[in-house]
Amino acid sequence: MKEELLSVGIDLGTSTTQLIFSKLIVENMASSYTVPRMVIADKQIEYKSEIYFTPLLGESQNRIDFEKIRDIVEAEYKKAGIRKEQIDTGAVIITGETARKENAREVVNALGDFAGDFVVATAGPDLESVISGKGAGADEYSKEHHTTVVNIDIGGGTSNLAVFQRGDTCDTGCLDIGGRLIKADADTHRITYIAPKLQEIIQMEHLPLAVGDTATEANVAPVIAIMVSALEASVGLKPQGKYYQLLVTHRGIEFKEPIPCISFSGGVAEAVYQSRKFEDKFCYGDIGILLGEAIARSELCRRMKVIESRERIRATVVGAGSHTTEISGSTITYTKDTFPVKNLPVLKISPREEQENLGESLRKKLEWFEVEDSLQPVAVALTGAENPTFAEVQTYAGELLLGMKALMERGLPVIVIVERDMAKVLGQSMYALLGYGKDVVCLDGVRLQEGDYIDIGRPIAQGSVLPVVVKTLVFHS
C-alpha cells in the first residue's frame, strides 16, 4: 500500500526567498506476515520556484516586506497549480540575518497559516544547519561511505555547519559569515552596507574600507581572509583566531574527532565549486563570489575531501520540503481526530527516570512548562519497554496518568510519544484507566530529545499512521 503526501518548503533567507514542492511516497515496507511498517520510501521534487531577493522595508532594512513575500508565495502556488488546502506537510524556514528582523516572528507565523494548514513555521540556526546539510546530501554521503562529513551552508548573512557521522547528525554550529555582509552597487561597485561585526573588525584592523567607497578585490580581501580563517578554525584545521568568537552566532561545533570530508551549500557555494564562471566579481551586489573563491583556495579544500553537493543555493528549501517529516509506527492510539496539532514542546523522560519513578519525574518536569500558573500543552516522550508484558503496560499507563494529572486538570490533551513499538496497547490502557472520558493520543516509532518541538498531521494510510514533523532546535556532540 502506497500513499502520497504533498510537502512544501519555504525559505526566507538573508539574500533569497524560494519555494519547493515535494512528493513524499509513504509505503508499507513490512512483509505479509508482520505488523505493517509505514515509512517514507521516496522523495520526489515536483516544482522549484524562481529565486527571489528577500524583500525588505525602509532604509535600515530592519523589517521584512510581508506583502511582497505573500505575493511571491501566491504567484508560485499558482505557477505550480497547487492550492494550500492540498499541502500535507512541510516547513517555513526563516534563516540568517532575516531571522533577526523586527517582524520576523510575525511574518513567519502569518506565512505558516497562509501557506497551508500543516506547514510548520520554524527558525533557528541549529535546525537550519541540519536541514541544509540534508538538502545538500551530506547525511546520505556519510552513511553510504561510512565516514564523517561537515556541510557548510554559506548564505548571505550566516554560515551554518552540520556534522554527519555515518548518517547521524552529531553537531551543529553557526557563524556570522556570508556573502551579503558587505553590499555594493552591482554597476558602480559603490559600497552601500557593511554588517556591524565586520565594521568592528575593520575598525580594529584599521582597514581603509567604508560605506561609500568603491569595492575592489584588493580592499575587501583582508576582511574575506579573516572570515575564511574563522571557517577553517570552525572545523578544527587551525586554532581559533582573534575574531573567531566575535563571528560565532551562538556557538561553534564541538565535535572533537577529525573530519575528513566537507561539502558546501548556499548561494556562496556556487562560487566555491564553479568560481571560473563569474567574470564580474560584484555582479550580485555583494562579496559572495569573492568569498567563495577564497574558500576554494583555502585549507578547507586543500586538506579535506570536497564532496559535490546535491543542492547548493536550494539546499535549505529542498531540505525543508523533503526532510522535515517522519512517519509514526503502525501501532497508534488516538481516540478523536483533532489533528493537525502544532508546535508541541517535548518533555523527554530519561531511561533512568522511566524505570525508577516515572510518574513523579513526569510531575516535576511538567513544572518546567508552567508560566505564571499557566501550563502549556506538551508531548511526553519516552523510550518504552521492549516486548512488555500486559502488567508492565498497565504500570506504564498508570504512572503516565499520575504524572500528567496537572495537564488533565487544565483540560489539556494527553499526548505520549514512545520510541518502541507499544503505543497501541499503551494508549488503549490509558484510555481505559481514564474511564473512556478523556481524549488520548499515543504513537510510537519516533525518537525525540529534550528541546524538540513536534507537529502531528492528519492520519494517513487508512488512519493507521500519523505524519510527524520533528523540529530539533539544539544538538549536542
Side-chain angles (χ1 to χ4, degrees):
M1 177 177 63
K2 292 184 179 181
E3 190 159 340
E4 295 180 356
L5 299 180
L6 184 60
S7 174
V8 63
I10 304 176
D11 176 23
L12 280 69
T14 302
S15 303
T16 61
T17 291
Q18 49 188 314
L19 294 79
I20 194 164
F21 295 100
S22 302
K23 184 187 296 180
L24 309 182
I25 311 299
V26 180
E27 186 173 358
N28 182 7
M29 303 300 287
S31 70
S32 303
Y33 306 101
T34 59
V35 174
R37 183 171 62 89
M38 305 298 294
V39 300
I40 296 176
D42 194 17
K43 302 166 185 175
Q44 303 169 6
I45 295 174
E46 296 291 296
Y47 177 84
K48 296 179 181 180
S49 78
E50 294 182 37
I51 298 172
Y52 301 87
F53 280 111
T54 300
L56 303 173
L57 293 168
E59 290 185 7
S60 62
Q61 297 193 328
N62 282 332
R63 294 180 64 82
I64 304 164
D65 190 337
F66 176 67
E67 295 300 321
K68 288 186 178 178
I69 292 288
R70 183 179 62 186
D71 290 344
I72 288 170
V73 173
E74 282 183 336
E76 290 299 335
Y77 267 63
K78 287 180 181 177
K79 288 180 184 178
I82 291 171
R83 304 185 312 276
K84 72 173 187 177
E85 294 81 12
Q86 296 175 264
I87 299 298
D88 297 298
T89 184
V92 179
I93 307 293
I94 186 166
T95 59
E97 289 203 316
T98 308
R100 305 170 195 171
K101 301 302 181 184
E102 293 176 359
N103 61 337
R105 184 179 295 274
E106 294 89 340
V107 168
V108 79
N109 287 337
L111 192 57
D113 292 336
F114 167 80
D117 194 26
F118 186 49
V119 177
V120 298
T122 58
D126 294 289
L127 178 64
E128 182 190 354
S129 298
V130 176
I131 287 177
S132 58
K134 289 185 175 182
D139 61 326
E140 291 184 8
Y141 185 94
S142 71
K143 183 177 182 179
E144 291 171 0
H145 293 82
H146 307 284
T147 189
T148 303
V149 179
V150 59
N151 183 74
I152 308 182
D153 186 79
I154 313 168
T158 56
S159 292
N160 294 82
L161 293 82
V163 180
F164 300 96
Q165 188 173 55
R166 298 180 184 87
D168 294 327
T169 306
C170 298
D171 202 5
T172 63
C174 183
L175 288 80
D176 285 322
I177 294 173
R180 291 185 73 79
L181 297 183
I182 296 178
K183 299 178 186 177
D185 185 274
D187 297 319
T188 66
H189 298 178
R190 178 181 173 274
I191 296 174
T192 58
Y193 170 80
I194 299 176
K197 287 188 179 182
L198 294 195
Q199 288 273 23
E200 187 175 341
I201 291 172
I202 288 167
Q203 291 173 4
M204 293 179 69
E205 291 293 313
H206 306 290
L207 299 174
L209 194 65
V211 172
D213 293 349
T214 299
T216 66
E217 294 186 41
N219 64 8
V220 300
V223 177
I224 290 174
I226 289 170
M227 290 195 285
V228 173
S229 179
L231 288 176
E232 292 170 333
S234 73
V235 297
L237 295 181
K238 61 169 56 175
Q240 297 177 3
K242 182 178 179 181
Y243 299 110
Y244 179 80
Q245 290 301 327
L246 173 65
L247 292 172
V248 168
T249 308
H250 70 135
R251 66 181 181 87
I253 60 174
E254 301 172 358
F255 192 75
K256 301 302 182 183
E257 300 176 24
I259 305 173
C261 302
I262 190 169
S263 60
F264 300 94
S265 58
V268 173
E270 300 289 341
V272 176
Y273 289 107
Q274 299 185 59
S275 59
R276 293 181 182 178
K277 76 175 186 179
F278 301 102
E279 294 183 7
D280 180 359
K281 308 302 182 184
F282 297 98
C283 62
Y284 293 118
D286 56 37
I287 59 169
I289 294 173
L290 291 172
L291 176 60
E293 291 180 345
I295 290 170
R297 298 189 299 267
S298 73
E299 297 295 301
L300 294 164
C301 295
R302 288 202 297 262
R303 292 172 55 185
M304 303 175 76
K305 181 179 180 179
V306 179
I307 307 303
E308 184 72 26
S309 295
R310 185 171 55 203
E311 296 284 348
R312 295 173 189 171
I313 194 170
R314 296 185 185 273
T316 301
V317 73
V318 167
S322 303
H323 295 278
T324 53
T325 301
E326 297 185 19
I327 297 297
S328 75
S330 297
T331 58
I332 64 174
T333 297
Y334 58 94
T335 55
K336 186 177 180 181
D337 186 350
T338 56
F339 307 104
V341 180
K342 296 186 179 183
N343 291 320
L344 280 173
V346 170
L347 188 162
K348 180 64 186 292
I349 299 295
S350 72
R352 180 178 177 180
E353 292 169 333
E354 192 175 319
Q355 295 300 318
E356 293 182 356
N357 201 350
L358 173 57
E360 182 62 16
S361 297
L362 176 51
R363 185 192 66 79
K364 289 181 178 179
K365 282 193 170 183
L366 269 179
E367 295 176 358
W368 300 353
F369 297 87
E370 286 189 7
V371 180
E372 297 180 355
D373 202 35
S374 177
L375 183 63
Q376 61 181 313
V378 300
V380 176
L382 61 154
T383 304
E386 190 170 2
N387 300 318
T389 64
F390 180 74
E392 287 176 319
V393 172
Q394 292 295 302
T395 300
Y396 265 99
E399 289 290 313
L400 284 167
L401 292 177
L402 177 66
M404 300 173 78
K405 184 178 179 182
L407 285 170
M408 293 182 287
E409 288 177 343
R410 290 168 170 83
L412 297 174
V414 174
I415 301 175
V416 177
I417 317 293
V418 197
E419 186 176 330
R420 288 177 174 156
D421 183 14
M422 59 180 292
K424 192 174 189 68
V425 64
L426 177 60
Q428 291 175 343
S429 297
M430 294 171 67
Y431 192 45
L433 288 174
L434 287 169
Y436 306 100
K438 180 74 178 177
D439 292 331
V440 173
V441 176
C442 189
L443 61 92
D444 54 30
V446 179
R447 180 181 297 180
L448 299 170
Q449 62 185 23
E450 203 75 66
D452 284 353
Y453 284 74
I454 63 168
D455 290 6
I456 306 174
R458 301 181 196 87
I460 61 172
Q462 300 177 347
S464 65
V465 294
L466 296 165
V468 180
V469 174
V470 181
K471 298 172 279 186
T472 301
L473 302 182
V474 180
F475 286 90
H476 300 283
S477 58

